[in-house]
Amino acid sequence: MSKFNRRDVLAYAGATAVAALFGPAAAFAQVKIPAPKPGQGVVVFYRSGTTAGSGVRFTIQDANGRTVAHLKRGSVDAVPVPAGPNFFKVPEANNTEGTIDVKAGQTLYIRCYLNAATFAGKLQFEEVSEERARKELKF
């Protein structure tokens, strides 16, 4: 049986904390956003690696009720969509829903976050620039 001194325990705790902090960033770096096919666009839904609401998971459904993305802390889902208005909803998030208008050949980045000001933490969609998304996603 090995004995740990205080320094070993603190070093392990520090390494574990760093891994937990940067784990989602490593997942972002592995995401490949597909180029839109002719007549289509791509909607990239993502949640950053922040700890706010980290235990909460959501599914995003299209207008037909088909699940197109799963959102948890540090996740990214690229969804190919036809050009034009596309309706999405998150049933488990206090009826969060909205229409995203996508042009052919366009890639839109949608930041998803929990609005702590609401009683149950309603999921919010926010369209952001590619530059901001890449900065937050670290790729």
Side-chain angles (χ1 to χ4, degrees), residues 12-41:
Y12 176 77
T16 303
V18 168
L21 181 64
F22 292 110
F28 291 146
Q30 297 174 6
V31 173
K32 296 192 189 244
I33 307 301
K37 293 180 181 177
Q40 292 188 337

Side-chain angles (χ1 to χ4, degrees), residues 94-114:
N94 299 329
N95 299 320
T96 297
E97 59 185 37
T99 300
I100 300 172
D101 194 20
V102 182
K103 295 178 177 68
Q106 184 179 38
T107 299
L108 293 177
Y109 293 84
I110 306 297
R111 178 178 167 259
C112 303
Y113 64 96
L114 289 174

Side-chain angles (χ1 to χ4, degrees), residues 1-138:
M1 178 173 170
S2 62
K3 294 184 181 180
F4 293 103
N5 61 32
R6 183 172 184 220
R7 183 181 305 157
D8 292 336
V9 171
L10 290 176
Y12 176 77
T16 303
V18 168
L21 181 64
F22 292 110
F28 291 146
Q30 297 174 6
V31 173
K32 296 192 189 244
I33 307 301
K37 293 180 181 177
Q40 292 188 337
V42 174
V43 177
V44 180
F45 293 101
Y46 75 93
R47 279 184 65 187
S48 69
T50 62
T51 58
S54 62
V56 181
R57 297 172 185 228
F58 297 101
T59 56
I60 297 178
Q61 297 177 343
D62 63 11
N64 298 321
R66 186 185 67 187
T67 298
V68 296
H70 296 280
L71 288 180
K72 61 182 179 181
R73 177 180 175 236
S75 65
V76 180
D77 279 318
V79 181
V81 295
N86 291 274
F87 178 80
F88 297 99
K89 64 181 176 179
V90 184
E92 57 275 86
N94 299 329
N95 299 320
T96 297
E97 59 185 37
T99 300
I100 300 172
D101 194 20
V102 182
K103 295 178 177 68
Q106 184 179 38
T107 299
L108 293 177
Y109 293 84
I110 306 297
R111 178 178 167 259
C112 303
Y113 64 96
L114 289 174
N115 183 350
T118 62
F119 175 69
K122 184 174 182 178
L123 185 72
Q124 301 291 310
F125 293 152
E126 175 186 18
E127 183 179 339
V128 299
S129 68
E130 181 179 357
E131 179 182 352
R132 179 176 174 185
R134 288 189 177 277
K135 182 179 177 183
E136 289 181 351
L137 299 174
K138 298 176 180 26

